[in-house]
Amino acid sequence: MNAHVLQPPDPDRSVAERIAEVLTRRIVLGELPPGHKVGQDLVAAEFRASHVPVREAFRRLEARGLLVSEPRRGVRVAPIAPEAVHEVTEMRAALEVLALREAAEALTDADLQEARQALAAEEESGELIVWEEANRRFHRALVTPCRMPRLLQAIDDLHQASARYLLATWKSLDWEPRSDAEHRAILDALTSGDVEAAAAVLREHILAAGRALRQRLVALGRI
Amino acid sequence: MNAHVLQPPDPDRSVAERIAEVLTRRIVLGELPPGHKVGQDLVAAEFRASHVPVREAFRRLEARGLLVSEPRRGVRVAPIAPEAVHEVTEMRAALEVLALREAAEALTDADLQEARQALAAEEESGELIVWEEANRRFHRALVTPCRMPRLLQAIDDLHQASARYLLATWKSLDWEPRSDAEHRAILDALTSGDVEAAAAVLREHILAAGRALRQRLVALGRI
DNA sequence: ATGATTTTATAGATTATCTATATTCTATCA
DNA sequence: TGATAGAATATAGATAATCTATAAAATCAT
């Protein structure tokens, strides 16, 4: 019996991969809140799958820091704590700056064009989730040319965590479109070939965004 | 039937975790060479386990970069390439420096004492593998106090990769004990409270070791 | 009401079985 | 003889039914 009613069959991707993908999206979007218990049998039933690929998907998300697993007690959606925001922010700053420096010499006009388009998409976006997608596109355009798969994967994982913190903290309601002046400054520096200036702005940009997020999160905690 | 003949039963750790641990050790030590095909049924038979926890162990090691998985073709031990050495080296430099800076204010005399003991163990070691263990102890002592679990996990994973590259490149035969002057310089800087100097030396130390490793690996490739 | 005890639900794992694909072996033909 | 198409085999990925141990919930006795 072919089991994949909801998802397209797609023989090139394993069931575990597809489950991991859907669960990732739900966690990042906040549909599954922090601390939420994710029962393997429930997920298996939903995806018309057995518990084996579900457990494999759990292991993937655990490695990415989206799920936490307690022995004999199953898995839960990772909590959102100010310390974790700080951690992810600092790691992003360190690794994205590294990636940008490594990408710089390989950076083509097409890459810069992609970043410009992402920036335009940010400025057009009226909704947080749309802005966040463009934001990720922008950052990714700058680092992808470094061609370091392990580094890029680590940055992607951290970005996912960041996006989750952002969406959980600023609900679309009270979010207002931001100027993205820093993104523009990074692009200008890169266009004029000043990689170090771009790296410095990128670093401060990530840290500032992290600080804002952390403050807001602490404030929410006090309410 | 209780299945655990070789490993102690230990109900607190899952079968998957124990398999992952043993496979990790084998890959790091080079007992399983790069490119080696790891058959799930073979591993399952060896551990007297079913293929389910074996696959979970595979997912863990895949996330750590020790295994690579091709759909429908199973998993292989990750290759060792000069580009990967460069990548891991740069990531380690970035993240360990971050961790050291964050750890600095929490660094106790006990931590420094542990680092000193590790340094002594390095200098006493006549064998590469013993030295490597002490080396990891040293680096870990400096970063652990930062209390950032995600960062520490990432550093640990990178260290494992580094250790694998080191052991694969310098077979114990042609390795000679090294002075570890840089480790001593880091310790001296920290003892005198100069965190920035320690961070600078740590960074250069990691990068220099990475360069040496990479050069040797490229040379081996040319033979 | 509360603490101890039973019940229930479920995580983790096994075993047998199934399908699809990669690989290997073999036989055929140029 | 050598390349290649096709059959046979091995195995990855997955299912389903079942089992044990434990954590959580419900029940009962005090």
Side-chain angles (χ1 to χ4, degrees):
Chain A
M1 190 214 295
N2 196 318
H4 318 299
V5 187
L6 306 168
Q7 303 288 315
D10 191 352
D12 270 21
R13 300 169 69 77
S14 69
V15 176
E17 266 179 284
R18 272 174 291 164
I19 295 174
E21 209 173 281
V22 175
L23 290 183
T24 296
R25 190 160 51 242
R26 286 182 191 168
I27 293 171
V28 170
L29 295 180
E31 295 170 18
L32 294 174
H36 185 263
K37 197 181 156 188
V38 187
Q40 62 176 6
D41 287 1
L42 210 75
V43 176
E46 193 205 343
F47 287 90
R48 311 275 201 279
S50 72
H51 70 111
V52 180
V54 173
R55 293 180 60 76
E56 283 186 60
F58 284 176
R59 294 292 84 77
R60 285 169 204 260
L61 269 67
E62 198 189 348
R64 292 177 172 190
L66 293 177
L67 290 178
V68 288
S69 152
E70 296 162 284
R72 290 266 162 215
R73 298 187 55 181
V75 299
R76 294 181 175 279
V77 177
I80 293 182
E83 307 85 56
V85 175
H86 176 242
E87 209 173 347
V88 166
T89 300
E90 292 285 347
M91 289 178 75
R92 269 192 63 194
L95 293 183
E96 284 196 42
V97 165
L98 165 61
L100 178 63
R101 287 210 179 96
E102 298 273 338
E105 55 197 301
L107 208 69
T108 65
D109 284 344
D111 297 320
L112 286 175
Q113 198 52 38
E114 162 67 8
R116 265 184 219 105
Q117 280 177 16
L119 179 53
E122 283 173 42
E123 283 164 350
E124 280 172 30
S125 71
E127 225 188 328
L128 176 55
I129 192 165
V130 178
W131 177 86
E132 162 52 26
E133 206 180 318
N135 176 52
R136 275 162 91 169
R137 241 183 91 196
F138 178 86
H139 281 264
R140 201 189 287 243
L142 301 185
V143 297
T144 302
C146 76
R147 299 263 171 249
M148 293 161 82
R150 181 166 196 151
L151 176 57
L152 290 173
Q153 182 64 62
I155 290 173
D156 253 25
D157 291 352
L158 292 168
H159 245 263
Q160 250 164 10
S162 274
R164 183 165 85 103
Y165 300 151
L166 186 78
L167 295 174
T169 306
W170 271 277
K171 299 287 176 198
S172 256
L173 297 168
D174 59 340
W175 179 83
E176 54 185 38
R178 39 186 296 178
S179 74
D180 303 302
E182 289 165 326
H183 281 187
R184 192 161 291 282
I186 294 168
L187 258 182
D188 288 347
L190 283 176
T191 305
S192 64
D194 192 345
V195 177
E196 279 316 301
V201 178
L202 176 61
R203 176 174 165 76
E204 285 313 312
H205 162 64
I206 293 170
L207 293 179
R211 271 194 302 272
L213 200 56
R214 192 175 180 285
Q215 278 172 17
R216 171 68 184 236
L217 192 63
V218 170
L220 280 178
R222 293 203 204 291
I223 293 169
Chain B
M1 190 211 293
N2 197 318
H4 317 298
V5 187
L6 306 167
Q7 303 287 319
D10 191 353
D12 269 19
R13 300 168 69 76
S14 70
V15 175
E17 266 179 284
R18 270 173 295 166
I19 294 174
E21 208 174 283
V22 174
L23 289 183
T24 296
R25 191 160 51 241
R26 286 182 191 167
I27 294 171
V28 170
L29 295 180
E31 294 169 18
L32 294 174
H36 185 264
K37 198 182 154 187
V38 187
Q40 62 177 4
D41 287 2
L42 211 74
V43 176
E46 193 206 341
F47 286 91
R48 311 273 202 280
S50 72
H51 69 113
V52 179
V54 173
R55 293 180 60 77
E56 281 186 61
F58 284 176
R59 295 291 86 78
R60 286 170 203 260
L61 269 68
E62 197 190 349
R64 292 177 172 193
L66 294 176
L67 290 177
V68 288
S69 154
E70 296 162 283
R72 289 265 162 215
R73 298 186 56 180
V75 299
R76 293 181 174 279
V77 177
I80 293 184
E83 307 84 59
V85 175
H86 176 242
E87 209 173 346
V88 167
T89 300
E90 291 285 348
M91 289 178 75
R92 267 191 64 194
L95 294 185
E96 284 196 40
V97 165
L98 165 61
L100 178 62
R101 287 209 179 96
E102 298 272 338
E105 56 197 298
L107 208 70
T108 64
D109 284 344
D111 296 320
L112 285 175
Q113 198 52 38
E114 162 66 9
R116 265 185 218 104
Q117 280 176 17
L119 179 52
E122 282 173 42
E123 283 164 349
E124 281 172 29
S125 71
E127 225 188 328
L128 175 54
I129 191 165
V130 179
W131 177 85
E132 163 52 26
E133 205 180 321
N135 177 51
R136 276 163 89 169
R137 241 183 90 197
F138 178 86
H139 281 264
R140 200 189 287 244
L142 301 185
V143 297
T144 303
C146 76
R147 300 263 171 251
M148 294 161 83
R150 181 166 197 152
L151 176 57
L152 290 174
Q153 181 65 63
I155 289 173
D156 253 25
D157 291 352
L158 292 168
H159 245 263
Q160 250 163 10
S162 274
R164 184 165 85 103
Y165 300 151
L166 186 79
L167 295 174
T169 307
W170 271 278
K171 299 287 176 199
S172 256
L173 297 167
D174 60 341
W175 179 83
E176 53 185 37
R178 39 186 296 180
S179 74
D180 303 302
E182 290 165 326
H183 280 187
R184 192 161 291 283
I186 294 168
L187 259 181
D188 289 347
L190 284 176
T191 305
S192 64
D194 193 344
V195 177
E196 278 317 300
V201 178
L202 175 62
R203 175 173 166 79
E204 285 313 312
H205 162 63
I206 293 170
L207 293 179
R211 271 194 301 272
L213 200 55
R214 192 175 180 283
Q215 278 173 18
R216 171 68 183 234
L217 192 64
V218 171
L220 281 177
R222 292 202 203 292
I223 292 169

